[in-house]
């Protein structure tokens, strides 16, 4: 520690930090609505925070800036490449999260098929509409089915109308609200049926990209099923105090956008210039300390918790459901107070909880009890009004 920077906080400022810590501790106990795993311990890595680590540039190219963790970043990418059955010629890096990975994938798609139209479903994450504006890419939103999957008929019809323009497909591997997985086999069949040979497929697998490799019977989601790139969040299923993620893409695609930069002596293949060097270390640590077996166990127990939540809710008369291999438990929107207390995300008339590894039964029980109390409260006859 640098002594120069110690003891300069005022009493009041220090108190604010203490209060913040207490607030975080309380809120963390009521954290059911977002897919961020808080079951982690990276304290062994804290000494690395004392250095100006920066992973600027391509993780595979030696940079003039040597305070980096490129070697660890490459191992993280290799791990994901293995789990996703990527071809030999694969490239990737550790991003700031799912959004950057989606931006990267769609950027590649747009560079490879500059005239292309991007297709994505209504249930797609909000980041994608923004990315399309950034890229100034032509795009068409496709209808979703009620369960959150893309509407294949609408997709087929729309593709048919625009057969002269190559499609860039954003495929959801686990939608944000309903955990729905767009069926890659069906999408390929549609393309084949229309004799469309030039296309690009990016998979948004923010949460489920770290679930499906560890279940026995996964829906099609990886490079074996004809994707060109994929984005996965690191702070979701793996868990990290700093948002992060990985993006993987076929090397032949990345070559088209690589530019050499003299200032840092490396290849500018990434979106950000300066890049986080700590998060690759966190992900590497998680991979090495838990291993495939550890991830498998975490996924299995989280799926069991999702099953528990659906059963418990349904027994109590709440219409809850989830997709196969999904931790996202969908149910009708609840009272604002309840939603706020448990930090539950809503969209129109539905709400969801996500049974991440840190979620425990008592929390699900407490949430359900609150929901039932709220319903009974409103059913109670109002004073001065006849019941019924
Ligand atoms: C969370 C999420 C994203 C965005 O990921 P960030 O890591 O928050 O940037 C994108 N797509 C889906 C389906 C998500 O669930």
């Amino acid at each position: 520690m640098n002594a120069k920077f110690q003891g300069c906080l005022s009493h009041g400022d220090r108190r604010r930090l203490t209060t913040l810590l207490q607030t975080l501790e309380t809120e963390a106990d009521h954290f059911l609505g977002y897919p961020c795993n808080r079951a982690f311990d990276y304290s062994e890595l804290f000494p690395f925070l004392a250095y100006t680590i920066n992973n600027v540039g391509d993780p595979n190219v030696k940079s003039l800036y040597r305070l980096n963790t490129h070697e660890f970043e490459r191992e993280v990418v290799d791990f994901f490449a293995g789990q996703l059955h990527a071809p030999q010629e694969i490239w990737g890096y550790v991003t700031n999260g799912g959004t950057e990975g989606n931006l990267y994938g769609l950027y590649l798609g747009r560079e490879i098929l500059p005239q292309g139209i991007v297709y994505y479903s209504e249930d797609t994450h909000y980041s994608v509409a923004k990315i399309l504006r950034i890229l100034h890419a032509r795009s068409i939103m496709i209808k979703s089915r009620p369960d959150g999957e893309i509407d294949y008929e609408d997709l087929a019809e729309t593709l048919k109308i625009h057969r002269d323009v190559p499609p860039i497909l954003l495929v959801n591997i686990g939608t944000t609200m309903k955990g729905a997985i767009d069926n890659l086999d069906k999408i390929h069949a549609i393309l084949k049926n229309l004799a469309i040979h030039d296309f690009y497929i990016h998979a948004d697998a923010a949460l489920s990209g770290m679930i499906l490799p560890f279940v026995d019977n996964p829906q099609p989601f990886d490079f074996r099923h004809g994707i060109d790139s994929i984005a996965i969040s690191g702070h979701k299923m793996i868990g990290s105090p700093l948002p992060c993620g990985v993006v993987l893409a076929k090397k032949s695609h990345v070559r088209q956008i690589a530019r050499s930069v003299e200032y840092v002596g490396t290849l500018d293949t990434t979106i950000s210039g300066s890049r986080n060097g700590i998060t690759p270390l966190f992900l590497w640590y998680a991979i090495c300390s838990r291993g495939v077996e550890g991830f498998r166990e975490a996924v299995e127990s989280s799926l069991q918790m999702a099953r528990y939540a659906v059963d418990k809710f349904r027994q109590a008369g709440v219409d809850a459901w989830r997709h196969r291999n999904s931790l996202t438990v969908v149910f009708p929107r609840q009272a604002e107070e309840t939603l706020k207390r448990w930090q539950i995300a809503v969209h129109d008339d539905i709400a969801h909880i996500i049974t991440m590894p840190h979620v425990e039964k008592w929390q699900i029980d407490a949430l359900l009890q609150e929901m039932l109390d709220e319903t009974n409260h409103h059913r109670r006859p109002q004073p001065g009004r006849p019941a019924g």
Side-chain angles (χ1 to χ4, degrees):
M1 282 298 127
N2 191 330
K4 231 200 263 179
F5 295 109
Q6 270 185 4
C8 44
L9 269 191
S10 74
H11 214 69
D13 289 339
R14 182 148 297 130
R15 209 167 40 232
R16 287 192 57 204
L17 286 184
T18 312
T19 311
L20 173 63
L21 200 56
Q22 285 164 350
T23 309
L24 291 172
E25 193 53 44
T26 316
E27 293 295 352
D29 262 351
H30 294 78
F31 189 58
L32 292 183
Y34 292 92
C36 299
N37 178 14
R38 72 166 292 226
F40 54 74
D41 180 3
Y42 296 112
S43 48
E44 205 177 331
L45 299 175
F46 290 175
F48 294 94
L49 293 173
Y51 299 91
T52 55
I53 298 177
N54 189 324
N55 278 13
V56 60
D58 190 307
N60 300 294
V61 181
K62 272 206 164 56
S63 154
L64 295 174
Y65 194 109
R66 282 200 297 277
L67 282 83
N68 66 44
T69 60
H70 280 165
E71 183 186 330
F72 294 81
E73 184 175 8
R74 287 196 297 271
E75 286 177 30
V76 170
V77 170
D78 286 348
F79 171 79
F80 279 95
Q83 294 305 315
L84 300 168
H85 301 274
Q88 272 295 310
E89 289 285 287
I90 197 75
W91 185 89
Y93 74 99
V94 174
T95 61
N96 288 315
T99 302
E100 185 183 341
N102 285 343
L103 172 59
Y104 197 78
L106 291 172
Y107 170 49
L108 285 182
R110 208 274 314 271
E111 291 300 287
I112 287 152
L113 302 171
Q115 307 304 325
I117 297 179
V118 180
Y119 298 86
Y120 63 106
S121 83
E122 270 178 304
D123 276 46
T124 299
H125 189 260
Y126 64 85
S127 64
V128 170
K130 171 177 60 191
I131 289 165
L132 294 172
R133 284 199 297 278
I134 293 172
L135 292 175
H136 215 282
R138 196 172 158 205
S139 65
I140 298 178
M141 188 193 270
I142 303 295
K143 277 196 296 196
S144 290
R145 304 192 319 200
D147 69 355
E149 264 182 71
I150 196 165
D151 184 318
Y152 303 97
E153 266 172 46
D154 191 29
L155 177 66
E157 272 170 35
T158 315
L159 283 170
K160 195 171 177 182
I161 298 169
H162 302 279
R163 261 164 106 148
D164 54 323
V165 187
I168 300 164
L169 295 134
L170 182 122
V171 171
N172 284 307
I173 304 300
T175 60
T176 309
M177 271 317 287
K178 297 174 184 164
I181 296 175
D182 295 340
N183 189 322
L184 274 166
D185 289 346
K186 279 191 194 168
I187 290 170
H188 278 287
I190 291 169
L191 292 167
K192 190 158 181 242
N193 197 32
L194 293 169
I196 297 173
H197 302 298
D198 266 353
F199 56 84
Y200 184 99
I201 296 183
H202 173 74
D204 178 0
L207 171 60
S208 297
M210 261 307 286
I211 296 174
L212 296 176
F214 309 107
V215 300
D216 287 335
N217 187 14
Q219 291 92 332
F221 75 104
D222 63 26
F223 285 94
R224 288 173 299 181
H225 304 279
I227 60 171
D228 293 285
S229 54
I230 186 167
I232 302 177
S233 289
H235 57 283
K236 289 191 172 171
M237 195 59 199
I238 295 180
S240 158
L242 307 175
C244 57
V246 292
V247 64
L248 272 75
K250 290 182 178 167
K251 213 177 245 175
S252 52
H253 298 331
V254 178
R255 275 195 209 105
Q256 306 221 11
I257 60 133
R259 309 258 185 288
S260 174
V261 191
E262 192 180 10
Y263 176 66
V264 279
T266 180
L267 271 182
D268 190 24
T269 37
T270 54
I271 298 271
S272 291
S274 284
R275 293 191 303 112
N276 199 323
I278 295 293
T279 47
L281 216 48
F282 283 2
L283 294 178
W284 177 88
Y285 185 86
I287 291 165
C288 293
S289 57
R290 295 189 227 162
V292 170
E293 231 10 76
F295 289 139
R296 198 174 268 281
E297 277 163 29
V299 164
E300 181 45 38
S301 62
S302 303
L303 283 168
Q304 256 167 36
M305 196 60 75
R307 250 170 253 140
Y308 173 82
V310 170
D311 290 348
K312 201 78 197 200
F313 277 38
R314 294 186 78 92
Q315 277 160 24
V318 178
D319 184 18
W321 61 275
R322 67 182 185 94
H323 282 283
R324 187 165 69 83
N325 295 329
S326 170
L327 306 181
T328 306
V329 176
V330 185
F331 53 93
R333 191 178 180 126
Q334 301 295 314
E336 287 307 313
E337 269 302 297
T338 311
L339 297 175
K340 224 171 102 187
R341 174 158 32 249
W342 295 95
Q343 303 170 61
I344 290 173
V346 283
H347 183 75
D348 295 337
D349 53 355
I350 66 156
H352 71 203
I353 58 167
I354 305 181
T355 57
M356 300 303 285
H358 62 263
V359 172
E360 295 176 23
K361 282 184 180 167
W362 73 264
Q363 292 167 315
I364 290 165
D365 297 346
L367 164 66
L368 177 63
Q369 193 53 53
E370 218 171 287
M371 283 160 50
L372 298 175
D373 289 349
E374 192 67 36
T375 314
N376 292 336
H377 175 78
H378 285 292
R379 285 217 190 104
R380 217 181 292 149
Q382 300 292 311
R385 252 203 271 158

